[in-house]
Amino acid sequence: MWPIPSIDWLALTIPIAYLTILIGSLAIFSSLYRKRKAASAAALEPWFPPHLQRNIYLSLLHQEDPKVPDSILKAALMRRATEDIHRIVQVRNAKQALQVLLQRGSVGDDLWQRFQHAEREIEEELKDVVTEANAFAPNWGQIIFQSASEMAQNTLLRDRLSEIQSTQAAEKEWWEKRKAAIQEDFMKELDEEKKEPKTERSDDDAVLVEGGGPAVGAGRKTGGKKKGKH
Amino acid sequence: MSGTDYSYDGEGQFFPYFILTITSLVTLPVTYSWLKPSKELENTATRIDSGYKPEHADLIEGQRKKLKRRERRIKRALISIGGWLVIAYMVYLTIVTARLIPKIWDPYDVLGISRSATEQEIKKHYRRLSLTLHPDKAREDPSRNITKEIINDHWVDVTKAFKALTDEEIRNNYIQFGHPDGKQSFSIGIALPKWIITEGHGKYVLLIYALALGVILPYTVGRWWYGTQRVTREKILVASAGKLFREYDNDQGETGVVGVLSSGEEFNDVLKGHKADNGLSKLEQKVLADSSDSSISSILSKKDRQKLEDLDETPRRKVLNLLWAYLGRVELGDDVLNDEKFEVAPVALRLNEAYTAIALAYGNTKAVLSAYHTAQNLIQALRPGASPLEQLPYFSPEVVKAAEAEKSRNHLTIQEFMRLSADKRKSRVVAPGLLTDSQYKTALTVASKLPVLHVEKAFFKVLGERFITPSSLVQFVVKCRFIPPGTANVPEVKASDLEDIDPDEGDVAANNGRKEDKSGEKPIQPPLAHAPYFARDHAPRWHVFLADSKQGKIVVPPFSFSTFDKPIIDESGNSTYNVQTLKMQFGAPPQAGKYTFVMHMVCDSYIGTDTKTEVTLEVDDASKVEELVEEDEISEPDEDTIAGQMRALKTGAAPGKPKKKRSDDDSSDGSDTEGDVDSESETDTDTDSDDE
């Protein structure tokens, strides 16, 4: 009945062993590869540093013993929304540039992944802020970001202003010194003129006064402005 | 014997041939690529020779050599030398084993007679041989190792040879198959030595096979693949690119860019192991020392300083300090630190290229300019905001102060300094405690050799058209000359040099822009950047881009020029003042109107040579152009020419295509150059350089 009277079991093990080793090694490779990939994706550095304002808000919200008054909670939520505005502006600005760079191969894939994580995270964060705001006052969620962005703009402007004003002292000092030097030069010149008339010197000074305005611009850019030599 | 009976190469006759072929297939191309002279710009350009040796010139030279060594293609050299050794050995083997190859059976040879012998002579000779060689006659001679068998074999051979030459049938056999016995066995050999298949070696062969296929091949492919994945297009590590992108900020100035560059992963290779934090405190002390107003600490804004102090990873902190030390030309009083100071600069320049690419992707003019200026600073080893005069040898901050005399906040550029009268210039800087006479002369020679590109004219045009129509492909043409600083009587520019005449209509290659590079002529290179502190040769590049000044955005991304089409200096080393043409192409805006752009031209190697000019692009409505063309045609009298008739036909056929018509029109009066020039001047949109 049996078509093959005897099977050489030993010889049969060889192809079976071959197949097991082949398939087994491929399976091990695939699982290891996936695990490593997942691990590296999880280990990606977050795009943004920890969200301090959100943490503050949440700790205030969950503080039980002396209940935090609503006004403080609302202020904390505003702060949180302001920080979100900063972040979303950053994400929006970066997106186009990052896409261009990714296409050209100037940045790596994992940066793009990190960016997408950040994008999703910020979306969730926005939704969360809106629901929180609505919990405080109906329909506040629709305008909270408007106010937050105004706040952000204001801070930005003030920072710039204070930055410019911080140079004031140095500029003033420089100008005082300069004025003194010019005065001294003039006095010297007058003295010299009494002795012997000289023209070249005064010519030089005329240029001085013109160029000596309290220009704040960097020295580098003069190259462009003074380009027309004729 | 059957045909399937493969014989292995037992004596190793063919194996060497096989190996020889394979190795030469690999070795020859590798050797070529190893010995081929490099065509990189840095290796073909001339130098500005000043004879100036900065402090620590030996350290800089050492770094330069180190970089060269790294680029010397050692792997290829090893492979090709190894390959040639193998080839030599295989040639030796073939020569040695050649003697073993059996000779072709030749009856004349066996009998020892000439090929011209007649049958008579052969028979006679055979009989004579039989007297000595017949087994019955010949004697065994053990001393000469002649045995009975050898005598027998030889006699059989002789008989065969005799028959091959006399017997009809055997002769036919010999002619047909090369052997008197008829067809010989046909054998296929494998050029592998026999020991490969001998019993017991099988497992080793299998092992090598498995190793090659299972380990070496995947390893090489994997290494190649991950190697290409590790670096970006700008040849920096992906990790560094990510960090640069993260730290990018539109508003950070040049000091900020230097801070960002210090985040590069590449510096970890430079400062390995204990080098990562050795001497950090000493370094910080020196760099941030508050000694004079030209020191590093004075140019760092509060924010930058805060950033430097907040850095908690020591390696990065050290890198940033080294960079500032390099840019401030700070003497660190320690050879190791000084050496590292010069080593970080070329790395930073490479990272800066990647940073520039990122800035370009954002398209912010200020950020791109900061990136370009950082390149200048790195190459010239000057801190941001330093006077351009410090690029000249021996010009220390003190000398520069004396040279600038006028206590303005803006620095003098080299060009402005050289424009001062010679006496005035000299009296300012040659003084005890400042410069000596010879130092001054060296500085002047360098200054007079710097390639400063001076824009003469910049305009827009569309190839073969009189007007710029919406969405057409516009060429931005910049006509400029190299005018070294301090040249007194610069010749006037010839008007003809400032025009850009379109190539003939028939010249298809030129019309498609393929002729731009002037493939026939060798492009002219300006000399390498004069950068005594930078531990690497650098060929200067000029970046030209158009920006919108209102939005602060880049409109047309930069085109970079490193070679030019006309000689810059003649044989005797004098400037030729040739007008160079730089062209860049971009698509015109889709709406008609006047567009005012700011053209920036930035050299990446020299500080204070930037050019900034306003240019206006006038885009005309397509309908207006059509009208004008129509008018043109009416005034054209030559209806009797073939071209005229053709045009008449075409204008009738296709009225809605002004562009097409226009090019037809051109072909009809292609020889009329004067008309072309006229149209040229009409097309040129005005260039307003904001002269003072």
Side-chain angles (χ1 to χ4, degrees), chain B residues 211-263:
Chain B
L211 219 63
L213 226 66
V215 179
I216 296 173
L217 187 75
Y219 176 74
T220 356
V221 172
R223 237 184 74 132
W224 168 77
W225 173 244
Y226 286 110
T228 53
Q229 288 224 311
R230 261 182 74 227
V231 292
T232 67
R233 218 170 77 112
E234 280 82 23
K235 301 275 183 296
I236 67 159
L237 295 174
V238 165
S240 307
K243 284 190 175 166
L244 291 183
F245 187 85
R246 285 284 297 110
E247 302 216 356
Y248 170 85
D249 183 358
N250 275 339
D251 296 321
Q252 60 195 358
E254 290 145 47
T255 49
V257 177
V258 175
V260 173
L261 294 186
S262 69
S263 69

Side-chain angles (χ1 to χ4, degrees), chain A residues 47 93-94 97-98 101 104-106 108 111 114 163 171 174 178 208 211 220 222-227 229, chain B residues 232-234 238 241-242 245-246 254 357 361-362 373 376-377 406-407 409-410 416 607 610-611 689 692:
Chain A
W47 189 270
N93 284 343
L98 192 59
L101 288 169
R104 280 200 320 202
S106 289
L111 192 72
R114 275 169 65 189
E163 209 175 287
E171 296 282 338
W174 176 84
R178 177 94 189 83
L208 280 185
R220 183 70 65 63
T222 50
K225 279 189 205 148
K226 292 187 181 160
K227 185 229 116 210
K229 336 180 164 171
Chain B
T232 67
R233 218 170 77 112
E234 280 82 23
V238 165
F245 187 85
R246 285 284 297 110
E254 290 145 47
Y362 273 98
H373 288 158
Q376 295 174 349
N377 291 334
E406 315 157 16
K407 287 165 193 66
R409 284 230 125 169
N410 298 333
E416 284 162 334
I607 299 173
D610 303 357
T611 310
S689 50
E692 281 167 65

Side-chain angles (χ1 to χ4, degrees), chain B residues 571-588:
Chain B
E571 292 85 8
S572 49
N574 296 321
S575 189
T576 54
Y577 305 110
N578 276 333
V579 174
Q580 314 277 2
T581 310
L582 308 178
K583 281 184 189 171
M584 44 202 274
Q585 277 190 331
F586 61 94

Side-chain angles (χ1 to χ4, degrees), chain B residues 110-294:
Chain B
V110 174
L111 289 176
I113 49 170
S114 71
R115 285 176 179 269
S116 57
T118 60
E119 208 172 325
Q120 227 75 44
E121 280 171 340
I122 292 168
K123 276 183 183 158
K124 217 165 155 191
H125 187 76
Y126 175 68
R127 256 175 240 129
R128 214 176 314 127
L129 282 180
S130 69
L131 292 181
T132 54
L133 295 179
H134 196 275
D136 294 347
K137 303 280 173 8
R139 288 273 154 77
E140 284 177 57
D141 189 354
S143 66
R144 280 197 293 155
N145 213 8
I146 293 174
T147 58
K148 191 113 190 157
E149 269 124 69
I150 289 178
I151 294 168
N152 269 338
D153 285 352
H154 189 64
W155 180 246
V156 170
D157 226 25
V158 169
T159 323
K160 265 188 197 165
F162 172 68
K163 285 200 174 141
L165 295 178
T166 50
D167 191 298
E168 189 65 25
E169 191 185 336
I170 296 176
R171 192 196 184 91
N172 276 343
N173 268 348
Y174 171 62
I175 291 166
Q176 254 191 331
F177 305 111
H179 203 275
D181 291 348
K183 194 177 176 184
Q184 292 291 294
S185 71
F186 174 69
S187 77
I188 298 169
I190 293 175
L192 288 177
K194 194 153 190 174
W195 54 260
I196 283 186
I197 48 137
T198 38
E199 200 70 31
H201 288 177
K203 46 182 179 286
Y204 299 117
V205 174
L206 206 66
L207 197 71
I208 290 171
Y209 178 76
L211 219 63
L213 226 66
V215 179
I216 296 173
L217 187 75
Y219 176 74
T220 356
V221 172
R223 237 184 74 132
W224 168 77
W225 173 244
Y226 286 110
T228 53
Q229 288 224 311
R230 261 182 74 227
V231 292
T232 67
R233 218 170 77 112
E234 280 82 23
K235 301 275 183 296
I236 67 159
L237 295 174
V238 165
S240 307
K243 284 190 175 166
L244 291 183
F245 187 85
R246 285 284 297 110
E247 302 216 356
Y248 170 85
D249 183 358
N250 275 339
D251 296 321
Q252 60 195 358
E254 290 145 47
T255 49
V257 177
V258 175
V260 173
L261 294 186
S262 69
S263 69
E265 293 282 318
E266 270 83 353
F267 292 112
N268 293 348
D269 290 341
V270 177
L271 305 172
K272 263 183 236 144
H274 69 281
K275 273 176 153 186
D277 45 7
N278 258 13
L280 176 60
S281 57
K282 187 179 174 187
L283 183 65
E284 270 186 344
Q285 229 175 359
K286 291 260 185 195
V287 171
L288 296 177
D290 251 338
S291 54
S292 66
D293 56 5
S294 60

